[in-house]
Coordinates of all heavy atoms in Angstrom, one line a residue:
M1 N -11.3 -3.6 -13.2 CA -10.2 -4.3 -12.6 C -10.5 -4.5 -11.1 O -10.9 -3.5 -10.4 CB -8.9 -3.6 -12.8 CG -7.7 -4.4 -12.5 SD -6.1 -3.5 -12.8 CE -6.2 -3.4 -14.6
T2 N -10.3 -5.7 -10.6 CA -10.6 -5.9 -9.2 C -9.4 -5.5 -8.3 O -8.3 -5.4 -8.8 CB -10.9 -7.4 -8.9 OG1 -9.7 -8.2 -9.2 CG2 -12.0 -8.0 -9.8
E3 N -9.7 -5.4 -7.0 CA -8.6 -5.0 -6.1 C -7.6 -6.1 -6.1 O -6.4 -5.8 -6.0 CB -9.3 -4.9 -4.7 CG -8.3 -4.3 -3.7 CD -8.9 -4.1 -2.3 OE1 -9.9 -3.3 -2.3 OE2 -8.4 -4.6 -1.3
Q4 N -8.0 -7.4 -6.2 CA -7.0 -8.5 -6.2 C -6.0 -8.4 -7.4 O -4.8 -8.6 -7.3 CB -7.7 -9.8 -6.2 CG -8.3 -10.1 -4.8 CD -9.0 -11.5 -4.9 OE1 -9.4 -12.0 -5.9 NE2 -9.1 -12.1 -3.7
V5 N -6.6 -8.0 -8.5 CA -5.7 -7.9 -9.7 C -4.8 -6.7 -9.6 O -3.6 -6.8 -9.9 CB -6.6 -7.7 -11.0 CG1 -5.8 -7.3 -12.2 CG2 -7.4 -8.9 -11.3
I6 N -5.2 -5.6 -9.0 CA -4.4 -4.5 -8.8 C -3.3 -4.8 -7.8 O -2.1 -4.6 -8.0 CB -5.2 -3.3 -8.3 CG1 -6.2 -2.8 -9.4 CG2 -4.3 -2.1 -7.9 CD1 -7.2 -1.9 -8.9
Q7 N -3.7 -5.5 -6.7 CA -2.7 -5.9 -5.7 C -1.6 -6.9 -6.3 O -0.4 -6.7 -6.0 CB -3.4 -6.7 -4.6 CG -4.0 -5.8 -3.6 CD -4.6 -6.6 -2.4 OE1 -4.4 -7.7 -2.2 NE2 -5.5 -5.9 -1.7
K8 N -2.0 -7.8 -7.1 CA -1.1 -8.7 -7.7 C -0.1 -8.0 -8.6 O 1.1 -8.3 -8.6 CB -1.8 -9.8 -8.6 CG -2.4 -10.9 -7.7 CD -3.1 -11.9 -8.5 CE -3.8 -13.0 -7.6 NZ -4.5 -14.0 -8.4
S9 N -0.5 -7.0 -9.4 CA 0.4 -6.3 -10.2 C 1.4 -5.5 -9.4 O 2.6 -5.4 -9.7 CB -0.3 -5.4 -11.2 OG -1.0 -4.3 -10.6
I10 N 0.9 -4.9 -8.3 CA 1.8 -4.1 -7.4 C 2.8 -5.0 -6.7 O 4.0 -4.7 -6.6 CB 0.9 -3.3 -6.4 CG1 0.1 -2.2 -7.1 CG2 1.8 -2.8 -5.2 CD1 -0.9 -1.6 -6.2
I11 N 2.3 -6.2 -6.2 CA 3.2 -7.1 -5.6 C 4.3 -7.6 -6.5 O 5.5 -7.7 -6.2 CB 2.4 -8.3 -5.0 CG1 1.6 -7.8 -3.8 CG2 3.3 -9.5 -4.6 CD1 0.5 -8.9 -3.3
K12 N 3.9 -8.0 -7.7 CA 4.9 -8.4 -8.7 C 6.0 -7.4 -8.9 O 7.2 -7.7 -9.0 CB 4.2 -8.7 -10.0 CG 5.1 -9.3 -11.1 CD 4.3 -9.6 -12.4 CE 5.2 -10.1 -13.4 NZ 4.5 -10.5 -14.7
Y13 N 5.6 -6.1 -9.1 CA 6.6 -5.0 -9.2 C 7.4 -4.9 -8.0 O 8.7 -4.8 -8.1 CB 5.8 -3.7 -9.5 CG 6.7 -2.5 -9.4 CD1 7.7 -2.2 -10.3 CD2 6.6 -1.7 -8.3 CE1 8.5 -1.1 -10.2 CE2 7.4 -0.6 -8.1 CZ 8.4 -0.3 -9.1 OH 9.2 0.8 -9.0
L14 N 6.8 -4.8 -6.8 CA 7.6 -4.6 -5.6 C 8.5 -5.7 -5.3 O 9.6 -5.4 -4.7 CB 6.6 -4.4 -4.4 CG 5.8 -3.1 -4.4 CD1 4.8 -3.1 -3.3 CD2 6.8 -1.9 -4.2
K15 N 8.2 -6.9 -5.6 CA 9.1 -8.0 -5.3 C 10.4 -7.9 -6.1 O 11.4 -8.5 -5.7 CB 8.4 -9.4 -5.7 CG 7.5 -9.8 -4.6 CD 7.0 -11.2 -4.9 CE 6.1 -11.8 -3.7 NZ 5.6 -13.1 -4.0
T16 N 10.5 -7.1 -7.1 CA 11.7 -6.9 -7.8 C 12.6 -5.9 -7.2 O 13.8 -5.8 -7.5 CB 11.5 -6.5 -9.3 OG1 10.9 -5.2 -9.3 CG2 10.6 -7.5 -10.0
K17 N 12.1 -5.2 -6.2 CA 12.8 -4.1 -5.6 C 12.8 -4.1 -4.1 O 13.7 -3.4 -3.5 CB 12.2 -2.7 -6.0 CG 12.2 -2.5 -7.5 CD 11.8 -1.1 -7.8 CE 12.1 -0.7 -9.2 NZ 13.5 -0.4 -9.4
A18 N 11.9 -4.8 -3.4 CA 11.7 -4.7 -2.0 C 11.2 -5.9 -1.4 O 10.9 -6.9 -2.0 CB 10.7 -3.5 -1.7
Y19 N 11.2 -5.9 0.0 CA 10.5 -7.0 0.7 C 9.1 -6.6 0.8 O 8.8 -5.4 1.2 CB 11.2 -7.1 2.1 CG 10.5 -8.1 3.0 CD1 10.7 -9.5 2.8 CD2 9.6 -7.7 4.0 CE1 10.1 -10.4 3.6 CE2 8.9 -8.7 4.8 CZ 9.2 -10.0 4.6 OH 8.5 -10.9 5.4
V20 N 8.1 -7.5 0.5 CA 6.7 -7.1 0.5 C 5.9 -8.3 1.1 O 6.2 -9.5 0.8 CB 6.2 -6.8 -0.9 CG1 6.3 -7.9 -1.9 CG2 4.7 -6.3 -0.8
V21 N 5.0 -7.9 2.0 CA 4.1 -8.9 2.6 C 2.6 -8.5 2.3 O 2.3 -7.3 2.5 CB 4.3 -9.0 4.1 CG1 3.2 -9.9 4.7 CG2 5.7 -9.5 4.4
K22 N 1.8 -9.4 1.8 CA 0.4 -9.1 1.6 C -0.3 -9.6 2.9 O -0.2 -10.7 3.3 CB -0.2 -9.8 0.4 CG -1.7 -9.5 0.2 CD -2.3 -10.4 -0.8 CE -3.8 -10.2 -1.0 NZ -4.6 -9.6 0.1
I23 N -1.1 -8.7 3.5 CA -1.8 -9.0 4.7 C -3.1 -9.7 4.3 O -3.9 -9.0 3.6 CB -2.0 -7.8 5.6 CG1 -0.7 -7.2 5.9 CG2 -2.8 -8.1 6.8 CD1 0.3 -8.1 6.7
V24 N -3.3 -10.9 4.7 CA -4.5 -11.6 4.4 C -5.4 -11.6 5.6 O -6.6 -11.3 5.5 CB -4.3 -13.1 4.0 CG1 -5.5 -13.9 3.8 CG2 -3.4 -13.2 2.8
S25 N -4.9 -11.9 6.8 CA -5.6 -11.8 8.0 C -4.6 -11.3 9.1 O -3.4 -11.7 9.1 CB -6.1 -13.2 8.4 OG -6.7 -13.2 9.6
A26 N -5.1 -10.4 9.9 CA -4.2 -9.8 10.9 C -4.9 -9.9 12.3 O -6.1 -9.9 12.3 CB -3.8 -8.4 10.6
S27 N -4.1 -9.8 13.3 CA -4.7 -9.8 14.7 C -5.3 -8.5 15.0 O -6.0 -8.3 16.0 CB -3.7 -10.2 15.7 OG -2.6 -9.3 15.6
K28 N -5.1 -7.5 14.1 CA -5.6 -6.1 14.3 C -6.3 -5.7 13.1 O -5.8 -5.9 12.0 CB -4.4 -5.2 14.6 CG -4.7 -3.8 14.9 CD -3.5 -3.0 15.2 CE -3.8 -1.5 15.4 NZ -2.6 -0.7 15.6
S29 N -7.5 -5.2 13.2 CA -8.3 -4.8 12.0 C -7.7 -3.5 11.5 O -7.1 -2.7 12.2 CB -9.7 -4.6 12.4 OG -10.3 -5.8 12.9
G30 N -8.0 -3.3 10.2 CA -7.6 -2.0 9.5 C -6.2 -1.9 9.1 O -5.7 -0.9 8.6
I31 N -5.4 -3.0 9.1 CA -4.0 -3.0 8.7 C -4.0 -2.9 7.2 O -4.8 -3.5 6.5 CB -3.3 -4.3 9.1 CG1 -3.4 -4.5 10.6 CG2 -1.9 -4.4 8.6 CD1 -2.6 -3.5 11.4
P32 N -3.1 -2.0 6.6 CA -3.0 -1.9 5.2 C -2.8 -3.2 4.5 O -2.2 -4.1 5.1 CB -1.9 -0.9 5.0 CG -1.9 -0.1 6.3 CD -2.2 -1.1 7.3
D33 N -3.1 -3.3 3.2 CA -3.0 -4.5 2.5 C -1.6 -5.0 2.3 O -1.4 -6.2 2.3 CB -3.7 -4.4 1.1 CG -5.2 -4.0 1.2 OD1 -5.9 -4.8 1.9 OD2 -5.6 -3.0 0.6
L34 N -0.7 -4.1 2.0 CA 0.7 -4.5 1.7 C 1.6 -3.8 2.6 O 1.5 -2.5 2.8 CB 1.0 -4.1 0.3 CG 0.1 -4.7 -0.8 CD1 0.5 -4.2 -2.2 CD2 0.2 -6.2 -0.8
L35 N 2.5 -4.5 3.2 CA 3.6 -4.0 4.1 C 4.9 -4.2 3.4 O 5.2 -5.3 3.0 CB 3.6 -4.6 5.5 CG 2.3 -4.5 6.2 CD1 2.4 -5.2 7.6 CD2 1.8 -3.1 6.4
V36 N 5.7 -3.1 3.3 CA 6.9 -3.1 2.4 C 8.1 -2.6 3.2 O 7.9 -1.6 3.9 CB 6.6 -2.3 1.1 CG1 7.9 -2.3 0.2 CG2 5.4 -2.8 0.4
C37 N 9.2 -3.2 2.9 CA 10.5 -2.6 3.4 C 11.3 -2.3 2.2 O 11.6 -3.2 1.4 CB 11.2 -3.5 4.4 SG 12.7 -2.8 5.1
Y38 N 11.6 -1.1 2.0 CA 12.4 -0.7 0.8 C 13.5 0.3 1.2 O 13.2 1.4 1.8 CB 11.5 0.0 -0.2 CG 12.3 0.5 -1.4 CD1 12.8 -0.3 -2.4 CD2 12.4 1.9 -1.6 CE1 13.5 0.1 -3.5 CE2 13.1 2.4 -2.7 CZ 13.7 1.5 -3.6 OH 14.4 1.9 -4.7
K39 N 14.8 -0.1 1.0 CA 15.9 0.7 1.4 C 15.8 1.2 2.8 O 16.1 2.3 3.1 CB 16.1 1.8 0.4 CG 16.5 1.4 -1.0 CD 16.9 2.5 -1.8 CE 17.4 1.9 -3.2 NZ 17.9 3.0 -4.1
G40 N 15.4 0.3 3.7 CA 15.3 0.6 5.1 C 14.1 1.4 5.5 O 13.9 1.8 6.7
R41 N 13.2 1.7 4.6 CA 12.0 2.5 4.9 C 10.8 1.5 5.0 O 10.6 0.6 4.2 CB 11.6 3.5 3.7 CG 12.7 4.5 3.5 CD 12.9 5.5 4.6 NE 11.7 6.2 5.1 CZ 11.2 7.3 4.8 NH1 11.9 8.1 3.9 NH2 10.2 7.8 5.3
F42 N 9.9 1.8 6.0 CA 8.7 1.0 6.2 C 7.6 1.7 5.4 O 7.4 2.9 5.6 CB 8.3 0.9 7.6 CG 7.0 0.2 7.9 CD1 7.0 -1.2 7.9 CD2 5.9 0.9 8.0 CE1 5.8 -1.8 8.1 CE2 4.7 0.3 8.2 CZ 4.6 -1.1 8.3
I43 N 7.0 1.0 4.5 CA 5.9 1.6 3.6 C 4.7 0.7 3.7 O 4.8 -0.5 3.6 CB 6.4 1.7 2.2 CG1 7.7 2.4 2.1 CG2 5.3 2.5 1.3 CD1 8.4 2.2 0.7
A44 N 3.5 1.3 3.8 CA 2.3 0.5 3.8 C 1.4 1.0 2.7 O 1.3 2.2 2.5 CB 1.6 0.7 5.2
F45 N 0.8 0.1 2.0 CA -0.1 0.4 0.9 C -1.5 -0.1 1.2 O -1.6 -1.4 1.4 CB 0.4 -0.1 -0.4 CG 1.6 0.6 -0.9 CD1 2.8 -0.1 -0.9 CD2 1.6 1.8 -1.5 CE1 4.0 0.5 -1.3 CE2 2.8 2.4 -1.9 CZ 4.0 1.7 -1.9
E46 N -2.5 0.7 1.2 CA -3.9 0.3 1.2 C -4.3 0.3 -0.2 O -4.3 1.4 -0.8 CB -4.7 1.2 2.1 CG -6.2 0.8 2.1 CD -6.5 -0.6 2.7 OE1 -5.8 -1.0 3.6 OE2 -7.4 -1.2 2.1
V47 N -4.7 -0.8 -0.8 CA -5.0 -0.9 -2.2 C -6.6 -0.9 -2.4 O -7.3 -1.6 -1.7 CB -4.5 -2.2 -2.9 CG1 -4.8 -2.2 -4.3 CG2 -2.9 -2.2 -2.6
K48 N -7.0 0.0 -3.3 CA -8.4 0.1 -3.6 C -8.6 0.0 -5.1 O -7.7 0.2 -5.8 CB -9.0 1.5 -3.1 CG -8.9 1.7 -1.6 CD -9.9 0.8 -0.8 CE -9.9 1.1 0.6 NZ -10.7 0.2 1.4
T49 N -9.8 -0.2 -5.5 CA -10.1 0.0 -7.0 C -10.4 1.5 -7.2 O -10.7 2.2 -6.3 CB -11.4 -0.8 -7.4 OG1 -12.5 -0.4 -6.6 CG2 -11.1 -2.3 -7.2
P50 N -10.2 1.9 -8.5 CA -10.4 3.4 -8.7 C -11.7 3.9 -8.2 O -11.8 5.0 -7.7 CB -10.2 3.5 -10.2 CG -9.3 2.3 -10.6 CD -9.7 1.2 -9.6
D51 N -12.8 3.1 -8.4 CA -14.1 3.6 -8.0 C -14.3 3.6 -6.5 O -15.2 4.2 -6.0 CB -15.2 2.9 -8.7 CG -15.2 1.4 -8.4 OD1 -14.1 0.8 -8.3 OD2 -16.2 0.8 -8.3
K52 N -13.4 2.9 -5.8 CA -13.6 2.8 -4.3 C -12.4 3.5 -3.6 O -12.2 3.4 -2.4 CB -13.6 1.4 -3.8 CG -14.6 0.5 -4.5 CD -15.9 0.6 -3.7 CE -16.9 -0.4 -4.3 NZ -18.1 -0.5 -3.6
R53 N -11.6 4.3 -4.3 CA -10.4 4.9 -3.7 C -10.7 5.9 -2.6 O -9.9 6.1 -1.7 CB -9.6 5.6 -4.8 CG -10.3 6.8 -5.4 CD -9.5 7.3 -6.6 NE -10.1 8.5 -7.2 CZ -9.8 8.9 -8.4 NH1 -9.0 8.2 -9.1 NH2 -10.4 10.0 -8.9
N54 N -11.9 6.4 -2.5 CA -12.3 7.2 -1.3 C -13.0 6.5 -0.2 O -13.4 7.1 0.8 CB -13.2 8.4 -1.8 CG -12.4 9.3 -2.7 OD1 -11.2 9.6 -2.5 ND2 -13.0 9.7 -3.8
N55 N -13.1 5.2 -0.4 CA -13.8 4.3 0.6 C -12.8 3.8 1.6 O -12.6 2.6 1.7 CB -14.5 3.1 -0.1 CG -15.9 3.4 -0.4 OD1 -16.4 4.5 -0.2 ND2 -16.6 2.4 -0.9
V56 N -12.1 4.6 2.3 CA -11.2 4.2 3.3 C -11.9 4.3 4.7 O -12.4 5.4 5.0 CB -9.9 5.1 3.3 CG1 -8.9 4.7 4.3 CG2 -9.3 5.1 1.9
S57 N -11.9 3.2 5.4 CA -12.7 3.3 6.7 C -11.9 4.1 7.7 O -10.7 4.4 7.6 CB -12.8 1.8 7.2 OG -11.6 1.4 7.7
D58 N -12.6 4.5 8.7 CA -12.0 5.3 9.8 C -10.9 4.5 10.5 O -9.9 5.1 10.8 CB -13.1 5.7 10.9 CG -14.0 6.7 10.4 OD1 -13.7 7.4 9.4 OD2 -15.1 6.9 11.0
L59 N -11.1 3.2 10.6 CA -10.0 2.4 11.2 C -8.8 2.3 10.3 O -7.6 2.4 10.7 CB -10.5 1.0 11.5 CG -9.6 0.1 12.3 CD1 -9.2 0.7 13.6 CD2 -10.3 -1.2 12.6
Q60 N -9.0 2.2 9.0 CA -7.9 2.2 8.0 C -7.1 3.6 8.1 O -5.9 3.6 8.1 CB -8.4 1.9 6.6 CG -8.8 0.5 6.4 CD -9.5 0.3 5.1 OE1 -10.2 1.1 4.6 NE2 -9.3 -0.9 4.5
K61 N -7.9 4.7 8.1 CA -7.3 6.0 8.2 C -6.5 6.1 9.5 O -5.4 6.7 9.5 CB -8.4 7.1 8.2 CG -9.0 7.3 6.9 CD -10.2 8.3 7.0 CE -11.0 8.3 5.7 NZ -12.2 9.2 5.8
H62 N -7.0 5.6 10.6 CA -6.3 5.7 11.9 C -5.0 4.9 11.8 O -4.0 5.4 12.2 CB -7.2 5.0 13.0 CG -6.5 4.9 14.3 ND1 -6.2 5.9 15.1 CD2 -5.9 3.8 14.9 CE1 -5.5 5.5 16.2 NE2 -5.3 4.2 16.0
N63 N -5.0 3.7 11.2 CA -3.8 2.9 11.1 C -2.8 3.6 10.2 O -1.6 3.6 10.5 CB -4.1 1.5 10.6 CG -4.6 0.7 11.8 OD1 -4.0 0.6 12.8 ND2 -5.7 0.0 11.5
I64 N -3.2 4.2 9.1 CA -2.4 5.0 8.2 C -1.7 6.1 8.9 O -0.5 6.3 8.8 CB -3.1 5.4 6.9 CG1 -3.4 4.2 6.0 CG2 -2.4 6.5 6.2 CD1 -4.4 4.5 4.9
N65 N -2.5 6.8 9.7 CA -2.0 8.0 10.5 C -1.0 7.5 11.5 O 0.0 8.2 11.7 CB -3.1 8.8 11.1 CG -4.0 9.5 10.1 OD1 -3.5 9.9 9.0 ND2 -5.2 9.8 10.4
E66 N -1.2 6.4 12.2 CA -0.3 5.9 13.2 C 1.0 5.5 12.5 O 2.1 5.7 13.1 CB -0.9 4.6 13.9 CG -2.0 5.0 14.9 CD -1.4 5.8 16.0 OE1 -0.5 5.3 16.7 OE2 -2.0 6.9 16.3
I67 N 1.0 4.9 11.3 CA 2.2 4.6 10.6 C 3.0 5.8 10.3 O 4.2 5.9 10.6 CB 1.9 3.8 9.3 CG1 1.4 2.4 9.7 CG2 3.1 3.7 8.4 CD1 0.7 1.6 8.6
V68 N 2.4 6.8 9.8 CA 3.0 8.1 9.4 C 3.6 8.8 10.7 O 4.7 9.3 10.7 CB 2.1 9.0 8.6 CG1 2.7 10.4 8.4 CG2 1.7 8.4 7.3
K69 N 2.8 8.8 11.8 CA 3.2 9.4 13.0 C 4.4 8.8 13.6 O 5.2 9.4 14.2 CB 2.0 9.3 14.0 CG 2.3 10.0 15.4 CD 1.0 9.9 16.2 CE 1.1 8.7 17.1 NZ 0.0 8.6 18.0
N70 N 4.6 7.5 13.3 CA 5.8 6.8 13.8 C 6.9 6.7 12.8 O 7.8 5.8 13.0 CB 5.3 5.4 14.3 CG 4.6 5.5 15.6 OD1 5.2 5.7 16.7 ND2 3.3 5.4 15.6
G71 N 6.9 7.5 11.8 CA 8.0 7.6 10.9 C 8.0 6.7 9.6 O 8.9 6.8 8.8
G72 N 6.9 6.0 9.5 CA 6.7 5.2 8.2 C 6.0 6.0 7.2 O 5.6 7.1 7.4
L73 N 5.9 5.4 6.0 CA 5.1 5.9 4.9 C 3.9 5.1 4.7 O 3.9 3.9 4.8 CB 6.0 6.0 3.7 CG 7.3 6.8 3.7 CD1 8.1 6.6 2.5 CD2 7.0 8.2 3.9
A74 N 2.8 5.7 4.4 CA 1.5 5.0 4.2 C 0.7 5.7 3.1 O 0.6 6.9 3.2 CB 0.7 4.8 5.5
F75 N 0.2 4.9 2.2 CA -0.5 5.5 1.0 C -1.8 4.6 0.7 O -1.8 3.4 0.9 CB 0.4 5.5 -0.2 CG 1.6 6.2 0.0 CD1 2.8 5.5 0.4 CD2 1.7 7.5 -0.2 CE1 4.0 6.2 0.6 CE2 2.9 8.2 -0.1 CZ 4.1 7.5 0.3
V76 N -2.8 5.3 0.2 CA -3.9 4.6 -0.4 C -3.6 4.7 -1.9 O -3.4 5.8 -2.5 CB -5.3 5.3 -0.1 CG1 -6.4 4.6 -0.8 CG2 -5.5 5.3 1.4
V77 N -3.6 3.6 -2.6 CA -3.3 3.5 -4.0 C -4.4 2.7 -4.8 O -5.0 1.9 -4.2 CB -1.9 3.0 -4.3 CG1 -0.8 3.8 -3.7 CG2 -1.8 1.5 -3.8
W78 N -4.5 3.0 -6.1 CA -5.5 2.3 -6.9 C -4.9 1.9 -8.2 O -5.6 1.4 -9.1 CB -6.8 3.0 -7.0 CG -6.6 4.5 -7.4 CD1 -6.7 4.9 -8.7 CD2 -6.4 5.6 -6.6 NE1 -6.5 6.3 -8.7 CE2 -6.3 6.7 -7.4 CE3 -6.2 5.8 -5.2 CZ2 -6.0 8.0 -6.9 CZ3 -6.0 7.1 -4.7 CH2 -5.9 8.2 -5.6
E79 N -3.6 2.1 -8.4 CA -3.0 1.7 -9.7 C -1.5 1.5 -9.5 O -0.9 2.2 -8.6 CB -3.3 2.6 -10.8 CG -2.8 4.0 -10.7 CD -3.1 4.9 -11.8 OE1 -4.3 4.8 -12.4 OE2 -2.3 5.7 -12.2
L80 N -0.9 0.7 -10.3 CA 0.5 0.3 -10.2 C 1.4 1.6 -10.4 O 2.4 1.7 -9.7 CB 0.9 -0.7 -11.2 CG 2.3 -1.1 -11.4 CD1 2.9 -1.6 -10.0 CD2 2.5 -2.1 -12.4
N81 N 1.0 2.4 -11.3 CA 1.9 3.6 -11.6 C 2.1 4.5 -10.4 O 3.1 5.1 -10.2 CB 1.3 4.4 -12.8 CG 1.6 3.7 -14.1 OD1 2.6 3.0 -14.2 ND2 0.8 4.0 -15.1
Q82 N 1.1 4.6 -9.5 CA 1.2 5.3 -8.3 C 2.4 4.8 -7.4 O 3.2 5.5 -6.9 CB -0.1 5.3 -7.4 CG -1.2 6.1 -8.1 CD -2.5 5.9 -7.3 OE1 -3.0 4.8 -7.3 NE2 -3.0 6.9 -6.7
V83 N 2.4 3.4 -7.3 CA 3.4 2.8 -6.5 C 4.8 3.0 -7.1 O 5.7 3.3 -6.4 CB 3.1 1.3 -6.3 CG1 4.2 0.5 -5.6 CG2 1.8 1.1 -5.6
K84 N 4.8 2.9 -8.4 CA 6.1 3.1 -9.1 C 6.6 4.5 -8.8 O 7.8 4.7 -8.6 CB 6.0 2.9 -10.6 CG 5.8 1.4 -11.0 CD 5.7 1.3 -12.5 CE 5.6 -0.1 -12.9 NZ 5.5 -0.3 -14.4
E85 N 5.8 5.5 -8.9 CA 6.2 6.9 -8.6 C 6.7 7.1 -7.2 O 7.6 7.8 -6.9 CB 5.0 7.9 -8.9 CG 4.8 8.1 -10.4 CD 6.0 8.7 -11.1 OE1 6.6 9.7 -10.6 OE2 6.4 8.2 -12.2
I86 N 6.0 6.4 -6.2 CA 6.4 6.5 -4.8 C 7.8 5.9 -4.6 O 8.7 6.5 -4.0 CB 5.4 5.8 -3.9 CG1 4.0 6.6 -3.9 CG2 5.9 5.6 -2.5 CD1 2.8 5.9 -3.4
I87 N 8.0 4.7 -5.2 CA 9.3 4.0 -5.1 C 10.4 4.9 -5.8 O 11.5 5.1 -5.3 CB 9.2 2.6 -5.7 CG1 8.3 1.7 -4.8 CG2 10.6 2.0 -5.8 CD1 8.7 1.6 -3.4
K88 N 10.1 5.4 -7.0 CA 11.0 6.2 -7.7 C 11.4 7.4 -6.9 O 12.6 7.8 -6.9 CB 10.4 6.7 -9.0 CG 11.3 7.5 -9.9 CD 10.6 7.9 -11.2 CE 11.5 8.8 -12.0 NZ 10.8 9.3 -13.2
G89 N 10.5 8.0 -6.1 CA 10.8 9.2 -5.3 C 11.7 8.8 -4.1 O 12.3 9.7 -3.5
L90 N 11.8 7.5 -3.8 CA 12.6 7.1 -2.7 C 14.0 6.7 -3.1 O 14.9 6.4 -2.3 CB 11.9 6.0 -1.9 CG 10.6 6.3 -1.2 CD1 10.0 5.1 -0.6 CD2 10.9 7.4 -0.1
E91 N 14.2 6.6 -4.4 CA 15.5 6.1 -4.9 C 16.6 7.2 -4.9 O 16.4 8.3 -4.8 CB 15.4 5.6 -6.4 CG 14.6 4.3 -6.4 CD 14.4 3.7 -7.8 OE1 14.6 4.4 -8.8 OE2 14.0 2.5 -7.8

């Protein structure tokens, strides 16, 4: 399964529950793939394929840490069920 296919399934699910934006191009490198607002919470998802789930660049890690440091939530995910569990935990 490609990263795009995984992203599409996650976006389809999230659109039923939250505001979601897929980042295609940003003025800042390393921005997570999906930015979400759910029940007033800012959540960022960096989507990887299962075999690349540990391939998070230093810049991506830095941005994830900055989001968390500033009160948001940020995750590296590689399947829809992970996102469902995260959202379920926030309900």
Side-chain angles (χ1 to χ4, degrees):
M1 192 176 295
T2 67
E3 187 175 306
Q4 287 180 333
V5 170
I6 297 166
Q7 281 183 14
K8 283 181 183 180
S9 69
I10 292 170
I11 290 167
K12 183 177 178 181
Y13 166 75
L14 287 172
K15 280 186 173 181
T16 67
K17 299 192 166 282
Y19 176 78
V20 60
V21 174
K22 179 188 177 340
I23 301 301
V24 177
S25 178
S27 60
K28 182 178 176 184
S29 297
I31 301 296
D33 297 308
L34 304 175
L35 302 181
V36 178
C37 185
Y38 177 71
K39 293 190 175 185
R41 298 295 308 264
F42 177 82
I43 311 166
F45 292 105
E46 178 60 40
V47 181
K48 300 288 186 185
T49 58
D51 60 322
K52 303 272 186 179
R53 64 186 183 203
N54 295 318
N55 268 6
V56 181
S57 73
D58 289 339
L59 189 53
Q60 288 170 326
K61 289 176 189 175
H62 171 77
N63 283 310
I64 287 169
N65 290 334
E66 285 295 306
I67 291 166
V68 172
K69 183 174 92 176
N70 286 284
L73 300 172
F75 303 92
V76 177
V77 296
W78 51 93
E79 62 182 39
L80 174 58
N81 284 335
Q82 292 172 294
V83 174
K84 287 181 177 181
E85 285 299 314
I86 291 164
I87 296 299
K88 183 179 175 183
L90 296 172
E91 291 180 345

